Structures are given as structure tokens and as C-alpha cells.
Amino acid sequence: MGPRLRGYWLMTWIGLLANLLALPVIGWGAFQPDQSTGLEITNITLAFSLAWPAAIVGIVAAAGLLAQRRWGVILTIVALSMALGGALPYGIVRLVLGPEARPLGFASVALGLVNVLALIYWCRPAHRRGGRL
């Protein structure tokens, strides 16, 4: 086993808890009436097609990271990329729609930026060295 990776366990546990918390939050947000922008169908579609699958892949990735497997790092990168691919465009569209849609737009863009920072951490070359982490 090589040198310890700084922040590995903290990021793993934060990711696991965030993804477990994301499942009910996504469900709650997807089925809220959205009279301000008329995006009810978009919210439900995005939840089923991208947000929930990204959270589930993130949970499996965290399990792999807790077991110190290299495939956990790869799956983490995939889950973060899926979440980023949905959060930023959705947030930008909500920001453009008007003042009623802006709070969720800002939250979505902020989540996208957090995903970018986590993606930068997990893409470091130190995560690809050695058998077990």
C-alpha cells in the first residue's frame, strides 16, 4: 500500500452521505408544482433520467471507495460527470427564465461547481497508482 491520500476518507463519506440524502431530495423536488416556469415535466424527466441514476452510481462508487478498490475511483468520476452534466445546464436555464426560477437555478449551479471541485480531486493521478488505495 502506497502513501495515504489526503482527504480520501473524508471525500468518500461525504459522497456517500450526500448521495443517500440526494435520493429523497430529488424525489421531493421533482414532484413539486412549478407554476412559475412551467417545467414540471422537465423536472420529472431530469429526475428519472439523470439525477437518480447519478445518485445511485454515486452510492455504488462510494461502496467501492470504502472497499479501497480502484474501480470506485472510476465510478466516482462517472457519477460526478453525470451529476455535472445535469446540474449546470439545468441551473443555467433556470437562471435565464426569470426571478421566480432563480433560487433553484443558483442552487443547481452551486451544486455543479461543487461537482467540478470533487471531480478535480478524484481525477488526480495519485488515485490511479497501486492496486488497493
Side-chain angles (χ1 to χ4, degrees), residues 23-82:
L23 292 174
V25 169
I26 292 166
W28 175 80
F31 295 105
Q32 289 296 313
D34 197 1
Q35 281 86 18
S36 64
T37 59
L39 289 177
E40 294 90 3
I41 300 299
T42 304
N43 293 342
I44 293 170
T45 303
L46 193 61
F48 279 113
S49 65
L50 191 61
W52 271 327
I56 291 169
V57 171
I59 292 168
V60 174
L65 291 171
L66 288 172
Q68 297 183 354
R69 303 289 185 197
R70 283 180 32 188
W71 58 263
V73 174
I74 295 167
L75 215 53
T76 300
I77 293 169
V78 170
L80 286 168
S81 299
M82 288 172 66

